[in-house]
């Protein structure tokens, strides 16, 4: 008899029982992850290979499926939902095989395998479907292991639980992705979602709609839009504006949850199914929780970067997890053991599922264009977060993608806006880091980045009326003119480049540097204060994303060549003492103005926040009263309305938030 996922009570007694699928078993690796089979299974002395002609996974010998994508996070299911026990269903054919239950306790180093098989499956040319209850366990993760006497074909399978029909919540899930000229990613993801989510037999298919908010107005609306997908042409209002548009559409459409997702990611359609199942079975404690998917590195698909982060007391915000290799059992179990229910937590909007009830209660994003919009929203809402193995996306790595127009200006301005708007105060540690970062860039002659940091502070000092009326797109375009331009090496002065060849050991991510070198880099030295007699005109190579590193080779030089992480692009920096003095003077003026007006600014931003996050503000800001969008319309109306909007205003000269 199958286990039930919750006890009968006065609300569920007499209700019809039903099976509910928790997660599917994935048998075919995605192309980008094909070299990382450990995400799917571990060949324990055996062999596993997807057979295209058979449409099944070919298993020889012993293969273990206690993996990031194919194990069941039973500990999380017990915590977040009514599920306490689960069953495993597999469809098999071929030679005789045995199925063993496995488990992985939190922080364990190895998978534990049951002594006796759950079931033995006889040889058969025809598919055989077996369903067996998994043993009761206190472990964090459950899975299974196949042992084939020859060759067994695994056609598919799933984990499920059984319980009363009326204990399942009614969920309407709206996925919103905001894009700006990322057609390659968007069209691929839309196709995958149409095929594997909207076209599947699971309950999610009839309770899921995908919206693409097209900030670039470049997507073919009629070609993409249909009954399950709607393209909304939009002005380039950044991530905050695009997701605000999505939230408004979700409210208008009657969705219970809105799932915000980056455009430049590789999606796992199974993640949407697991998210839907998790929301449908959530218990009373987690009924209003947010679900945040993990971001893994597309270049190293086994490396998990983050799922939930938080703002610390020292003002630094960052991940609760650090580069876990989730194809390793010990790090897979560690991933499940990390507590994400901490104060001041937030979920980045590469995959963040938010109940629309929270939007109604706490409002929409602040109009900050990009950077800190998701951080601020999390700090404001103070939600409980749910995470789980197998709910994720793969994102291009961030290393080497420093953009001063965003990472310096937007971060400085928006992090201060977040503090003032939400009444938190970590300004002293913030300014300690601001001071240190500013002077590292200044002494390395990166004057444009220093100017953008000060511009961000200056615009914060203008108060909330500035972001109420400012065009984030125009600001980003103007700021992009101030940042350093990295160009191919053949476009630079070869007499300088030839003398400053990069050492690839110093480019990209650096780990394990000796303490003496770290200290040398951090010491408060500045070449601008030295006389010319102590400085050399010979250029030195440095890493663009990290000040004047390596410091020992760049010291006492008046010319630096700043290389990107690949060593194929660079810019040349020349010492400019006049600009150095001007930036120092402006820094002193702006920081004094901040401390003089801090209390007043905190009051102004706090008072303005309710309006700046209201539906009335955003509908006006997005010109929704002037240009009706296909929100809540049927597929035909959606196509016609979207096509008209696209024809009325193509915008090819806008600047992406990733510019």
């Amino acid at each position: 008899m199958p286990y039930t996922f919750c006890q009968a009570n006065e609300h569920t007694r007499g209700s019809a029982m039903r099976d509910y699928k928790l997660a599917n078993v994935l048998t075919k690796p995605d192309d980008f992850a094909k070299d990382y089979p450990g995400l799917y299974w571990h060949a324990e002395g055996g062999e596993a290979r997807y057979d295209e002609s058979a449409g099944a996974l070919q298993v020889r010998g012993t293969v273990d499926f206690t993996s990031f994508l194919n194990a069941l996070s039973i500990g999380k299911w017990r915590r977040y939902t009514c599920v306490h026990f689960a069953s495993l269903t597999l469809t098999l054919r071929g030679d005789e095989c045995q199925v063993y239950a496995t488990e992985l306790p939190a922080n364990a180093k190895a998978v534990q395998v049951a002594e006796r098989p759950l079931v033995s499956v006889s040889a058969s040319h025809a598919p055989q479907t077996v369903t067996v209850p998994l043993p009761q366990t206190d472990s964090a993760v459950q899975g299974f292991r196949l042992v084939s006497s020859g060759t067994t074909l695994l056609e598919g399978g799933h984990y499920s639980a059984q319980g009363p029909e009326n204990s399942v919540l009614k969920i309407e899930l709206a996925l919103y992705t905001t894009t700006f000229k990322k057609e390659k990613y968007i069209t691929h993801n839309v196709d995958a979602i149409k095929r594997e989510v909207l076209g599947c037999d699971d309950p999610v298919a009839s309770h899921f709609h995908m919206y693409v908010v097209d900030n670039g107005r470049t997507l073919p609306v009629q070609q993409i839009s249909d009954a399950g997908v709607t393209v909304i042409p939009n002005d380039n209002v950044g991530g905050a504006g695009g997701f605000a548009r999505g939230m408004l559409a979700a409210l208008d459409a009657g969705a219970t949850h809105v799932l915000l997702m980056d455009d430049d990611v590789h999606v796992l359609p199974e993640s949407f199914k697991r998210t839907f199942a998790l929301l449908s079975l959530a218990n009373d404690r987690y009924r209003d929780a947010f679900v945040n998917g993990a971001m893994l590195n597309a270049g190293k698909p086994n490396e998990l970067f983050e799922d939930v982060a938080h703002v610390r007391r020292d003002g630094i915000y960052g991940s609760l997890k650090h580069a876990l290799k989730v194809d390793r059992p010990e790090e897979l179990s560690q991933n499940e053991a990390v507590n994400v229910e901490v104060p001041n937590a937030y979920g980045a909007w590469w995959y963040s599922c938010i109940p629309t009830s929270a939007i109604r209660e706490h409002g929409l994003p602040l109009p900050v264009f990009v950077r800190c919009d998701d951080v601020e929203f999390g700090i404001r809402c103070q939600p409980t977060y749910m995470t789980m193995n197998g709910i994720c996306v793969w994102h291009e790595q961030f290393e080497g993608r420093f953009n001063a127009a965003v990472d310096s200006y937007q971060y400085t301005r928006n992090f201060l806006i977040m503090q003032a708007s939400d009444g938190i105060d970590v300004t002293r540690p913030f300014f300690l880091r601001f001071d240190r970062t500013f002077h590292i860039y200044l002494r390395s002659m990166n004057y444009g980045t220093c100017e953008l940091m000060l511009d961000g502070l200056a615009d914060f000092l203008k108060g909330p009326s500035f972001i109420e009326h400012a065009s984030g797109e125009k600001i980003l375009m103007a700021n992009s003119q101030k940042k350093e331009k990295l160009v191919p090496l053949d476009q630079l002065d070869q007499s300088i480049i030839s003398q400053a060849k990069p050492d690839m050991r110093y480019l990209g991510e650096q780990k394990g540097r000796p303490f003496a070198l770290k200290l040398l880099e951090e010491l408060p030295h500045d070449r601008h204060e030295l006389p010319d007699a102590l400085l050399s005109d010979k250029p030195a190579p440095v890493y663009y994303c990290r000040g004047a590193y390596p410091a020992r080779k760049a010291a006492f030089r008046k010319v630096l060549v700043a290389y990107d992480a690949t060593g194929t692009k660079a810019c040349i920096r020349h010492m400019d003492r006049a600009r150095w003095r001007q930036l120092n003077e402006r820094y002193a003026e702006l920081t004094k103005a901040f401390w003089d007006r801090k209390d007043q600014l905190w009051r102004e931003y706090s008072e303005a926040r309710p309006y700046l996050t209201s539906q009335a503000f955003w509908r006006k800001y997005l010109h929704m009263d002037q240009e009706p969008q296909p929100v809540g319309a049927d597929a035909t109306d959606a196509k016609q309305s979207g096509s008209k909007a696209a024809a009325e205003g193509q915008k090819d000269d806008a600047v992406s938030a990733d510019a």
Side-chain angles (χ1 to χ4, degrees):
M1 178 179 177
Y3 289 122
T4 59
F5 59 69
C6 63
Q7 299 292 326
N9 55 43
E10 60 180 336
H11 301 294
T12 62
R13 194 173 290 116
S15 173
M17 301 296 287
R18 63 168 288 186
D19 287 318
Y20 204 94
K21 187 184 293 185
L22 308 180
N24 290 292
V25 175
L26 304 180
T27 59
K28 183 179 181 180
D30 280 290
D31 288 342
F32 71 89
K34 63 183 179 181
D35 294 329
Y36 294 83
L39 290 169
Y40 299 83
W41 56 73
H42 299 277
E44 301 289 335
E47 180 185 348
R49 179 181 63 84
Y50 187 77
D51 187 331
E52 289 282 356
S53 61
L57 183 69
Q58 188 180 89
V59 174
R60 293 190 177 97
T62 300
V63 177
D64 193 289
F65 292 84
T66 318
S67 64
F68 179 71
L69 296 178
N70 274 325
L72 182 70
S73 298
I74 189 63
K76 295 286 184 70
W77 283 103
R78 286 195 305 265
R79 182 181 183 90
Y80 298 148
T81 74
C82 297
V83 172
H84 295 288
F85 313 101
S87 296
L88 172 66
T89 298
L90 298 175
T91 299
L92 304 154
R93 59 185 167 95
D95 292 327
E96 179 183 359
C97 70
Q98 293 178 317
V99 182
Y100 289 82
T102 62
E103 58 184 78
L104 187 62
N107 289 317
K109 294 187 179 300
V111 174
Q112 299 176 7
V113 185
E115 293 182 1
R116 298 180 179 180
L118 287 170
V119 63
S120 294
V121 183
S122 59
S124 173
H125 292 296
Q128 302 180 80
T129 298
V130 296
T131 299
V132 289
L134 294 172
Q136 182 177 356
T137 179
D138 292 329
S139 289
V141 172
Q142 281 187 302
F144 66 97
R145 175 175 289 193
L146 283 182
V147 180
S148 175
S149 62
T151 300
T152 299
L153 294 174
L154 173 60
E155 294 189 349
H158 63 267
Y159 299 94
S160 62
Q162 190 179 74
E165 174 76 36
N166 61 5
S167 66
V168 178
L169 302 175
K170 297 185 184 303
I171 303 299
E172 297 294 335
L173 181 56
L175 168 66
Y176 283 88
T177 183
T178 298
T179 186
F180 186 95
K181 301 181 180 179
K182 298 283 180 65
E183 285 81 356
K184 179 182 73 171
Y185 285 99
I186 286 296
T187 54
H188 180 273
N189 291 342
V190 168
D191 289 344
I193 288 168
K194 285 182 177 181
R195 181 179 63 252
E196 299 184 41
V197 180
L198 295 168
C200 74
D201 296 327
D202 296 332
V204 65
S206 56
H207 301 279
F208 182 94
H209 195 98
M210 180 181 187
Y211 295 84
V212 181
V213 181
D214 181 16
N215 280 358
R217 294 179 180 263
T218 57
L219 293 174
V221 177
Q222 289 184 315
Q223 180 179 334
I224 295 176
S225 297
D226 60 16
V229 177
T230 301
V231 176
I232 303 176
N234 201 41
D235 290 338
N236 186 19
V237 286
F243 286 131
R245 184 62 171 269
M247 290 179 178
L248 286 168
L251 294 173
D252 292 342
T256 61
H257 293 77
V258 56
L259 201 168
L260 309 180
M261 187 180 77
D262 268 355
D263 57 346
D264 54 346
V265 295
H266 297 281
V267 300
L268 180 73
E270 174 65 16
S271 292
F272 305 120
K273 301 177 185 180
R274 296 180 186 183
T275 299
F276 185 84
L278 184 58
L279 297 172
S280 299
L281 300 176
N283 58 34
D284 289 344
R285 179 181 174 187
Y286 289 92
R287 185 168 296 191
D288 297 320
F290 292 17
V291 179
N292 238 69
M295 190 270 274
L296 289 93
N297 186 342
K300 301 174 183 176
N302 64 328
E303 188 172 280
L304 186 148
F305 174 75
E306 180 181 309
D307 49 27
V308 174
H310 69 141
V311 178
R312 302 182 338 200
R313 290 182 179 180
D314 60 5
I316 295 176
Y317 68 80
S319 176
L320 293 167
K321 302 175 181 179
H322 301 284
L324 293 171
K325 304 289 194 304
V326 291
D327 58 347
R328 302 174 182 175
E330 66 273 18
E331 297 193 38
L332 175 65
S333 63
Q334 182 184 344
N335 181 50
E336 290 291 82
V338 174
N339 178 28
V340 300
E341 297 180 43
V342 299
N344 291 332
Y346 68 91
W349 286 350
W350 51 63
Y351 190 111
S352 187
C353 187
I354 300 168
T356 50
S357 59
I359 300 170
R360 292 188 180 92
E361 179 180 356
H362 299 287
L364 296 152
L366 281 169
V368 293
F369 199 74
V370 291
R371 285 293 185 273
C372 298
D373 46 354
D374 46 9
V375 183
E376 188 279 329
F377 192 80
I379 294 298
R380 191 193 331 155
C381 295
Q382 290 292 313
T384 299
Y385 281 98
M386 297 188 287
T387 64
M388 188 173 287
N389 284 335
I391 298 180
C392 59
V393 294
W394 282 265
H395 200 294
E396 299 300 331
Q397 66 183 23
F398 292 138
E399 181 66 30
R401 292 178 63 182
F402 176 76
N403 177 357
V406 175
D407 298 310
S408 297
Y409 170 86
Q410 295 283 160
Y411 169 77
T412 299
R413 189 195 72 178
N414 295 348
F415 196 83
L416 288 170
I417 289 174
M418 177 188 72
Q419 293 184 68
S421 299
D422 297 323
I424 61 175
D425 192 349
V426 289
T427 48
R428 293 201 177 277
F430 171 85
F431 269 97
L432 285 174
R433 291 196 316 280
F434 183 86
D435 177 86
R436 173 179 171 275
T437 303
F438 175 82
H439 285 99
I440 285 176
Y441 284 129
L442 191 58
R443 75 192 190 206
S444 64
M445 306 188 301
N446 190 345
Y447 306 117
T449 293
C450 292
E451 184 174 350
L452 287 166
M453 291 179 69
L454 297 181
D455 287 347
L457 177 56
D459 283 351
F460 168 76
L461 293 174
K462 294 175 182 177
S465 61
F466 175 75
I467 60 170
E468 178 181 353
H469 301 290
S471 166
E473 180 184 22
K474 291 180 180 179
I475 290 172
L476 188 60
M477 291 176 70
N479 287 344
S480 294
Q481 300 304 311
K482 297 181 180 181
K483 68 179 185 180
E484 290 183 317
K485 303 297 189 297
L486 297 178
V487 300
L489 301 185
D490 59 8
Q491 297 180 24
L492 297 171
D493 186 334
Q494 295 304 301
S495 65
I496 294 177
I497 296 297
S498 62
Q499 298 182 69
K501 297 293 185 182
D503 185 333
M504 297 305 294
R505 293 176 300 172
Y506 301 126
L507 303 182
E509 186 177 5
Q510 296 293 315
K511 295 181 180 179
R513 286 182 291 137
F515 175 78
L517 291 183
K518 292 181 181 180
L519 181 62
L520 181 62
E521 185 183 7
E522 304 302 329
L523 288 175
H525 62 279
D526 194 323
R527 73 196 72 229
H528 297 83
E529 296 177 329
L530 298 175
D532 284 342
L534 295 180
L535 297 174
S536 170
D537 290 323
K538 183 179 180 180
V542 296
Y543 178 35
Y544 168 69
C545 290
R546 191 181 297 113
Y549 179 77
R552 70 184 189 281
K553 293 190 175 183
F556 306 106
R557 305 294 181 92
K558 292 195 290 184
V559 181
L560 300 176
V561 181
Y563 287 89
D564 71 353
T566 68
T568 61
K569 293 183 178 181
C571 62
I572 298 174
R573 299 173 184 166
H574 295 273
M575 179 180 286
D576 185 338
R577 284 194 173 93
R579 194 172 183 192
W580 174 80
R581 283 191 293 271
Q582 181 268 329
L583 287 167
N584 268 315
E585 291 169 0
R586 189 181 179 212
Y587 174 87
E589 293 171 0
L590 289 173
T591 52
K592 181 180 185 304
F594 173 85
W595 292 111
D596 288 345
R597 298 179 51 207
K598 176 178 176 294
D599 292 343
Q600 174 193 347
L601 289 163
W602 252 240
R603 184 170 58 254
E604 290 176 358
Y605 278 101
S606 178
E607 291 173 352
R609 191 195 73 189
Y611 173 64
L612 294 177
T613 59
S614 69
Q615 293 191 44
F617 165 77
W618 275 108
R619 291 182 190 276
K620 178 181 177 182
Y621 188 85
L622 296 170
H623 311 297
M624 294 177 70
D625 51 343
Q626 302 173 23
E627 185 179 314
Q629 297 296 323
V631 176
D634 62 25
T636 302
D637 290 340
K639 292 180 182 179
Q640 292 175 346
S641 177
S643 178
K644 178 182 177 182
E648 288 175 349
Q650 292 294 323
K651 198 165 191 176
D652 295 327
D653 59 346
V655 177
S656 165
D658 291 333

